[in-house]
Amino acid sequence: MAKALFITEQYVKDTTPINDNVDLKSLTNAILEAQEIHIIEAIGSGLYNDLAAKIVAGTLTGNDATLVNTYIRPALKYWVLVEGIPMMLFKLTNKSVSTSTSANSSPVQETNIDYLVNRFKAKAELYQDRMIRYIQANPNLFPLFYNQTGGVDTIYPKNAIFTTDWYLGETDYTYKVGTHE
């Protein structure tokens, strides 16, 4: 069965900082991973599978095309960056995990990579939030968002898109058993 790509490799290269010489295999894997992790979690398996089938069949039109082109693709391109940067940075071989360098480039600090990934994640979440609000504002156009099949493999849509870590301070919470300290 053919896998549906909600965006093309060329779309990602044209609309993001990804260079044209990026390996097509890495980019395709990043697209599939990003949509199968983030988009399916946002819209649920019912709507996701319906849209994927229409993409493969070449029958994506009307409201579905608007959803994909105007809302899913902008979110997905940033999720591709979030998931793809580690894939593109490191190569796994039978001898080691390595990274490539060239005469015209220099390695990037890990903190800079983390900063970049976090910026792309924030943008992805922003566009994904817009996507969810559009679907919720038009429930009659996307009934599969609300009417999931209910099987064990069903993924229900998330209601909250934004995520954050909790910082509880640098207090040492060590408790001794049997005491009230």
Side-chain angles (χ1 to χ4, degrees):
M1 181 179 163
K3 288 275 189 177
L5 291 178
F6 283 63
I7 56 175
T8 64
E9 296 87 352
Q10 195 58 51
Y11 175 86
V12 174
K13 288 180 180 182
D14 289 346
T15 61
T16 68
I18 291 181
N19 196 299
D20 282 337
N21 68 355
V22 169
D23 178 39
L24 192 62
K25 180 182 174 187
S26 294
L27 194 51
T28 302
N29 287 339
I31 292 170
L32 286 169
E33 190 170 305
Q35 69 188 39
E36 290 176 356
I37 291 173
H38 302 286
I39 301 303
I40 198 169
E41 288 286 330
I43 66 175
S45 56
L47 182 55
Y48 178 90
N49 292 336
D50 181 59
L51 293 172
K54 290 175 181 174
I55 289 170
V56 169
T59 59
L60 188 72
T61 59
N63 297 320
D64 292 334
T66 300
L67 175 62
V68 170
N69 295 329
T70 307
Y71 295 95
I72 291 177
R73 287 181 178 163
L76 185 54
K77 75 179 180 183
Y78 288 110
W79 284 125
V80 168
L81 292 170
V82 169
E83 298 299 336
I85 286 175
M87 285 184 204
M88 292 176 234
L89 182 61
F90 300 107
K91 301 298 176 212
L92 305 173
T93 66
N94 60 349
K95 296 191 185 251
S96 70
V97 176
S98 61
T99 186
S100 300
T101 60
S102 72
N104 300 326
S105 65
S106 59
V108 176
Q109 298 276 336
E110 185 177 346
T111 55
N112 293 337
I113 294 170
D114 291 342
Y115 170 78
L116 191 61
V117 168
N118 286 333
R119 293 281 300 156
F120 292 139
K121 181 181 178 202
K123 289 180 180 186
E125 289 175 333
L126 174 80
Y127 283 107
Q128 191 163 304
D129 181 58
R130 289 180 185 170
M131 175 185 65
I132 297 302
R133 286 189 287 134
Y134 172 72
I135 294 170
Q136 290 173 338
N138 298 286
N140 57 327
L141 301 180
F142 308 105
L144 290 173
F145 181 78
Y146 296 99
N147 301 319
Q148 300 292 324
T149 60
V152 294
D153 61 342
T154 298
I155 298 171
Y156 294 93
K158 284 185 176 178
N159 289 327
I161 298 305
F162 294 99
T163 59
T164 186
D165 296 329
W166 287 36
Y167 178 71
L168 300 176
E170 295 184 25
T171 306
D172 181 18
Y173 293 104
T174 305
Y175 296 99
K176 296 178 184 173
V177 176
T179 65
H180 298 290
E181 295 178 33

